[in-house]
Amino acid sequence: MTVKVLRRVAILVVSLFVASIVVFLFMAVLPGDPAQVALGVNATPELLAKTRAEFGIDRSLVTQYFSWIGGVLHGDFGRSYVTREAIGPQLLDRLGVTLWLVGAGMVVALVIAVPVGMFAAVRHRKPSGATVSGLSQIGVAIPAFLAGIILVQIFAVQLRWLPSGGWTPPDQDAGQFVRGLILPALSLGLVQGAVLTRYVRSAVLDTLGQDYLRTARSKGLLPAQALRRHGLRNASVPVVTVLGLQLATLLIGAVVVERVFVLPGLGSMLLDAVSSRDLLTVQGIVLVLVAGVLLVNFVVDVLYTVLDPRLRGS
Amino acid sequence: MRARLHLAALAVLLAASACSAGSSASVSSGPDTLSVGFTAEPANFDFTHADGAAIPQALLYNVYEGLVKLDAQGRIVPLLAKSWTVSPDRKTYDFQLQPGVKFSNGAPFTASDVKFSLLRVKTDWTISIKSAMDVVDHVDVVSPDHARVVLSKPSNGWLFSLTSRLGAMFSPTGVADLANKPVGTGPYEVASRRRGDSIVLKENPAYWGRKPAYSTVVLKYIADPTALNNALLSNGIDVISSLTSADSIPQFQGDDRFTVLQGTTNSEVTLAFNNKRAPLNDPRVRQALTYAIDRKAVLDLVFNGRGTLIGSMVPPTDPWYEDLSGVYPYDPAKAKQLLAQAGVKNLNLRLRIPNLPYAVSAAQVVQSQLADVGVRTTIEPLDFPAVWLKQVFTDHDYDLSIIQHVEARDITTFGKPTYYWGYDSQRVQQLLAEADGGTPQQQVADMKQVARRLNTDAAADWLFLYPNVIVAKNKVTGFAKNQVSESFDLTGLRPA
């Protein structure tokens, strides 16, 4: 068990290191001059040269990489070329927004997927179950940004019940914060919910067919009761795995949803930074996102062993 | 069980939000708060070190003031200077200052601040437009309310530059943290900002002039045009400072909650010719291309016909404006004839454009119309700003390009042979210099000549002038139709 976890940690560290190199190289080959973008159309060659030196982009790639990664290891992500401010605190601030969004999207997805998936599984031979399965198929096919645009049209533009976008920090005005989060969370969660519904359904169906459940049923329990008392934990193993995988998708979806709903999270920060060639900022954001995904996978692996006693060997 | 808990929690959230979702999701909490939507966000508050139009758009005339400002007709009018006189040799400017002016940190504004601010452009500013202040030889503090500026040579352009961010007045006590804490004499001061979201301006209680009608103004930054429109439609904001596409105008015009205002900008959407490159170094070829393009059709496609056909690098708000849009009527036959005269066959040109909606749609029209006269073009959209700036603007690696030239009076760029136009005309350079040094009447006459010469030479093809389209709730009035300065001027706005 401990060895297993340690091996996972080692894999995590190596993956992060490799990811940092890939991110750095990818940004290095992007065409365009950060100094030119920062200075605009009236920049003189002298000023451009001075600014390149100031940014440190006149040095060799190897030097640049090691000075960047050295800083990151000390928690220093460098200074933005555009705002000239420290990137680290800005990352934390934006990460908070993205986590709220992803968290709320996850809640929406689970609230949809668990009961609907169970319903579809228990009634899989009845028309109602088939209908629910069909609906979830349609849900899977709708991308998050499209869901967002439709929701904004209905609830913000036509009905004017909810804001079409914008962000209010929870400590500033809790009511406004919640209202601002509803539509983005729904955009993100509906699609994920539809995806998860299918996994929940098949996991539950799988469990329903197991011997121990038949035993429980023979004691006179209804399928749903038997499932609740004996089957849920087993059914949750594949669902947790998928949840972990979905989290990466959720993060990608969040980038798009943040743009639609004007949320100052990592996603909108990333788009701005790429277009203004704010390379250090892009590197910092991507590293944080990659670290997030890798960490989630790590946690899922560990949870797996907790949930499923059969995996605790070795 | 757990699912049930989640459901309960969600129900509580929904109920809580429904309670507060009475009528609208407006940020405007009260009649004295205004919320204005913009697309481009300032990187920080320091326009002495960071370029980009977004900072002066938010701060100039609202937080910072200069000695003079531009009014809605493009005239230079008094602001912190009550009045000024120019010596006969046009080198000495005497400014009489408004008495009783204070900075937002309480420091009084006097002639010594004028000296401090103007000389600071030379010593501390890093953005390149600071060169407009090179002509200042020295500044004298004659008395607390009288500043004298002596130039090394006469320059009309210098006084005009004072209406921009270059003329902003700073206090020595207020420049310690320009990026985060701007200190100016304007009607507003910066109260707070949330990066990626908004800047909040609050009324400056010590303001010397007319109290602004709105005590709080929220500047909302919404990069996505659709999201910006939705914010106004759903009451999230009160004003869209400038619409970037014509497609959404009908939905606002058809809605009696809103007023749509249209005026002009300084932004010429220009089809640039690389004047240095054969065969575009032959004026007949450039004239042929100009005859070959139906600019009205371009404007109809790109901006539903809203915008102005100009025919030169001069917007109607400049004193030397003349309508030159009819000099080259759409005439494909004439275009072919000129190309034949120039001996050009099988021309294939690279049309390298920024990947921005207006440029992409204009490029389609240009491509098909040039094809009609036998000129093939390859459209190459480049990532803007990074790649376009590097390859087209800096390295001059292009035949044709389409871009908005947003800066005021940027016709002077045709006086720089190293600029990406590759246009080098002794006569134009001489006229520009004379215009800058002459009387205002001479300036107008000379600048008219410059504009006509550029038009005759077909130095570029000015497709159209970008329109200024403001959409606002009916309850907000007092907008200037034309966007002539660098500022989104909040000082005239008031409730209906």
Side-chain angles (χ1 to χ4, degrees):
Chain A
M1 181 82 179
T2 328
V3 176
K4 232 185 165 131
V5 171
L6 279 177
R7 191 182 313 147
R8 290 268 159 227
V9 172
I11 292 174
L12 179 71
V13 172
V14 172
S15 314
L16 270 175
F17 184 65
V18 172
S20 75
I21 294 177
V22 171
V23 170
F24 178 82
L25 286 177
F26 178 69
M27 289 316 291
V29 300
L30 262 188
D33 176 359
Q36 170 97 61
V37 177
L39 295 171
V41 294
N42 296 308
T44 55
E46 302 78 50
L47 195 55
L48 277 170
K50 203 174 126 206
T51 309
R52 280 194 201 102
E54 190 188 325
F55 290 171
I57 50 178
D58 52 349
R59 301 170 301 171
S60 78
L61 281 183
V62 177
T63 319
Q64 283 186 59
Y65 172 78
F66 280 107
S67 86
W68 171 61
I69 204 73
V72 170
L73 289 175
H74 292 101
D76 174 12
F77 283 81
R79 281 186 172 278
S80 154
Y81 298 156
V82 176
T83 65
R84 314 279 169 117
E85 286 178 6
I87 295 165
Q90 202 39 231
L91 276 175
L92 273 180
D93 195 39
R94 301 280 191 127
L95 183 64
V97 176
T98 302
L99 287 181
W100 272 113
L101 173 61
V102 170
M106 203 58 139
V107 169
V108 170
L110 283 172
V111 164
I112 294 168
V114 173
V116 174
M118 281 170 63
F119 177 89
V122 174
R123 304 205 169 198
H124 70 281
R125 290 203 185 83
K126 303 200 175 69
S128 58
T131 311
V132 169
S133 300
L135 281 177
S136 73
Q137 292 282 19
I138 295 172
V140 171
I142 300 175
F145 77 90
L146 189 63
I149 289 168
I150 295 168
L151 288 170
V152 166
Q153 269 306 320
I154 299 170
F155 292 103
V157 173
Q158 299 301 331
L159 295 170
R160 289 176 223 152
W161 287 356
L162 292 165
S164 66
W167 172 258
T168 315
D171 51 340
Q172 190 182 308
D173 180 345
Q176 191 66 13
F177 161 74
V178 171
R179 297 182 50 216
L181 203 55
I182 291 173
L183 291 183
L186 281 175
S187 313
L188 205 54
L190 283 175
V191 184
Q192 296 303 324
V195 173
L196 274 180
T197 297
R198 295 158 67 206
Y199 282 102
V200 171
R201 176 177 174 269
S202 64
V204 172
L205 269 177
D206 215 36
T207 314
L208 280 175
Q210 304 281 356
D211 295 346
Y212 61 84
L213 264 190
R214 245 182 305 213
T215 315
R217 292 277 310 275
S218 64
K219 291 186 207 158
L221 288 174
L222 292 169
Q225 285 175 318
L227 196 62
R228 266 204 293 276
R229 288 191 203 171
H230 300 280
L232 271 189
R233 179 159 166 173
N234 286 326
S236 66
V237 175
V239 174
V240 165
T241 316
V242 171
L243 217 55
L245 292 173
Q246 287 300 314
L247 208 76
T249 331
L250 270 173
L251 275 177
I252 308 291
V255 172
V256 179
V257 169
E258 280 173 20
R259 174 101 181 161
V260 173
F261 288 98
V262 203
L263 301 173
L266 281 181
S268 49
M269 187 180 178
L270 181 65
L271 292 175
D272 289 346
V274 170
S275 95
S276 57
R277 291 296 182 275
D278 196 348
L279 303 187
L280 279 185
T281 304
V282 175
Q283 287 164 203
I285 298 168
V286 176
L287 200 63
V288 167
L289 289 175
V290 169
V293 172
L294 290 173
L295 268 174
V296 168
N297 286 340
F298 170 78
V299 170
V300 167
D301 278 336
V302 174
L303 264 183
Y304 223 58
T305 47
V306 174
L307 280 170
D308 193 340
R310 284 171 304 180
L311 293 171
R312 284 182 211 172
S314 76
Chain B
M1 189 61 230
R2 179 154 315 162
R4 206 174 290 172
L5 263 181
H6 282 314
L7 271 176
L10 194 73
V12 169
L13 286 184
L14 280 168
S17 63
C19 294
S20 50
S23 57
S24 76
S26 173
V27 289
S28 311
S29 46
D32 50 4
T33 299
L34 182 75
S35 173
V36 186
F38 299 86
T39 46
E41 184 187 14
N44 58 41
F45 293 129
D46 184 2
F47 53 59
T48 73
H49 289 99
D51 207 352
I55 316 177
Q57 185 179 42
L59 300 187
L60 191 65
Y61 304 165
N62 303 323
V63 172
Y64 287 110
E65 294 177 318
L67 296 175
V68 288
K69 77 184 271 188
L70 279 183
D71 71 0
Q73 284 74 43
R75 288 182 305 238
I76 300 177
V77 296
L79 188 57
L80 288 177
K82 278 191 309 192
S83 63
W84 66 93
T85 53
V86 188
S87 63
D89 69 357
R90 308 201 55 78
K91 287 207 287 196
T92 305
Y93 287 74
D94 282 281
F95 294 98
Q96 305 298 327
L97 308 183
Q98 281 286 357
V101 175
K102 281 195 164 52
F103 286 95
S104 60
N105 66 356
F109 164 75
T110 66
S112 60
D113 298 306
V114 176
K115 180 173 181 172
F116 168 77
S117 303
L118 295 182
L119 296 182
R120 198 172 176 280
V121 175
K122 292 180 163 200
T123 54
D124 289 67
W125 288 43
T126 58
I127 60 169
S128 327
I129 53 169
K130 72 180 223 166
S131 57
M133 216 50 75
D134 292 350
V135 69
V136 173
D137 185 75
H138 60 276
V139 182
D140 295 331
V141 179
V142 182
S143 73
D145 54 6
H146 179 179
R148 174 174 296 154
V149 182
V150 181
L151 307 183
S152 54
K153 64 175 203 270
S155 172
N156 294 311
W158 174 76
L159 185 66
F160 183 76
S161 75
L162 286 194
T163 65
S164 73
R165 66 193 110 162
L166 285 162
M169 289 294 138
F170 297 87
S171 164
T173 60
V175 291
D177 187 8
L178 289 175
N180 302 299
K181 295 195 178 57
V183 176
T185 60
Y188 291 100
E189 49 189 328
V190 174
S192 66
R193 86 165 298 181
R194 168 165 275 280
R195 225 181 249 300
D197 181 67
S198 60
I199 293 171
V200 179
L201 301 180
K202 284 250 189 306
E203 186 185 349
N204 167 10
Y207 185 52
W208 61 274
R210 203 185 55 186
K211 194 177 149 66
Y214 296 100
S215 60
T216 306
V217 179
V218 182
L219 311 176
K220 292 282 286 183
Y221 292 97
I222 302 177
D224 183 70
T226 314
L228 183 61
N229 294 343
N230 287 336
L232 182 60
L233 289 165
S234 61
N235 285 342
I237 55 174
D238 303 313
V239 181
I240 292 177
S241 59
S242 173
L243 269 193
T244 52
S245 84
D247 307 343
S248 49
I249 293 174
Q251 70 176 332
F252 291 114
Q253 281 183 320
D255 191 326
D256 56 16
R257 289 178 294 160
F258 305 113
T259 310
V260 178
L261 284 153
Q262 188 189 326
T264 61
T265 63
N266 288 322
S267 181
E268 304 90 357
V269 179
T270 306
L271 171 67
F273 302 140
N274 191 340
N275 283 257
K276 272 225 169 35
R277 248 190 212 189
L280 292 166
N281 53 0
D282 182 336
R284 288 171 303 185
V285 175
R286 299 195 301 263
Q287 286 163 345
L289 299 188
T290 310
Y291 276 119
I293 293 166
D294 180 358
R295 285 169 293 279
K296 183 77 181 67
V298 175
L299 179 56
D300 286 345
L301 182 88
V302 178
F303 230 103
N304 267 354
R306 291 166 178 271
T308 319
L309 298 173
I310 41 181
S312 190
M313 195 88 176
V314 184
T317 43
D318 277 342
W320 41 87
Y321 170 73
E322 288 181 302
D323 181 358
L324 300 173
S325 61
V327 177
Y328 296 94
Y330 174 54
D331 190 344
K334 179 111 186 168
K336 285 182 188 162
Q337 191 190 340
L338 279 164
L339 287 170
Q341 278 176 18
V344 172
K345 285 193 199 66
N346 303 327
L347 194 52
N348 189 357
L349 299 171
R350 290 184 312 150
L351 176 50
R352 310 193 79 210
I353 55 169
N355 59 342
L356 300 170
Y358 72 89
V360 173
S361 38
Q364 313 289 344
V365 187
V366 167
Q367 184 180 44
S368 82
Q369 294 185 331
L370 291 183
D372 291 344
V373 299
V375 176
R376 279 187 304 141
T377 47
T378 315
I379 299 178
E380 298 174 24
L382 306 175
D383 191 13
F384 187 83
V387 181
W388 187 89
L389 269 183
K390 175 85 182 79
Q391 299 188 354
V392 175
F393 188 81
T394 309
D395 300 342
H396 305 187
D397 178 15
Y398 79 107
D399 300 318
L400 308 171
S401 185
I402 295 173
I403 189 128
Q404 293 185 55
H405 282 263
V406 297
E407 289 180 15
R409 306 198 175 173
D410 43 14
I411 187 171
T412 53
T413 53
F414 284 97
K416 295 181 201 154
T418 54
Y419 202 73
Y420 87 112
W421 314 120
Y423 180 81
D424 190 353
S425 156
Q426 294 279 324
R427 183 71 187 126
V428 163
Q429 287 154 38
Q430 186 191 352
L431 282 166
L432 284 169
E434 278 173 21
D436 196 31
T439 62
Q441 296 75 13
Q442 272 171 306
Q443 185 189 22
V444 169
D446 286 337
M447 291 305 281
K448 276 186 175 165
Q449 275 205 63
V450 172
R452 285 185 205 158
R453 269 201 97 83
L454 294 176
N455 174 285
T456 307
D457 270 350
D461 188 3
W462 296 274
L463 298 172
F464 63 92
L465 187 75
Y466 209 80
N468 185 44
V469 181
I470 302 172
V471 186
K473 287 185 184 165
N474 295 336
K475 66 173 192 186
V476 191
T477 60
F479 293 95
K481 268 193 339 199
N482 301 332
Q483 183 61 43
V484 289
S485 72
E486 296 183 297
S487 151
F488 188 84
D489 193 341
L490 301 166
T491 55
L493 305 188
R494 58 192 181 276

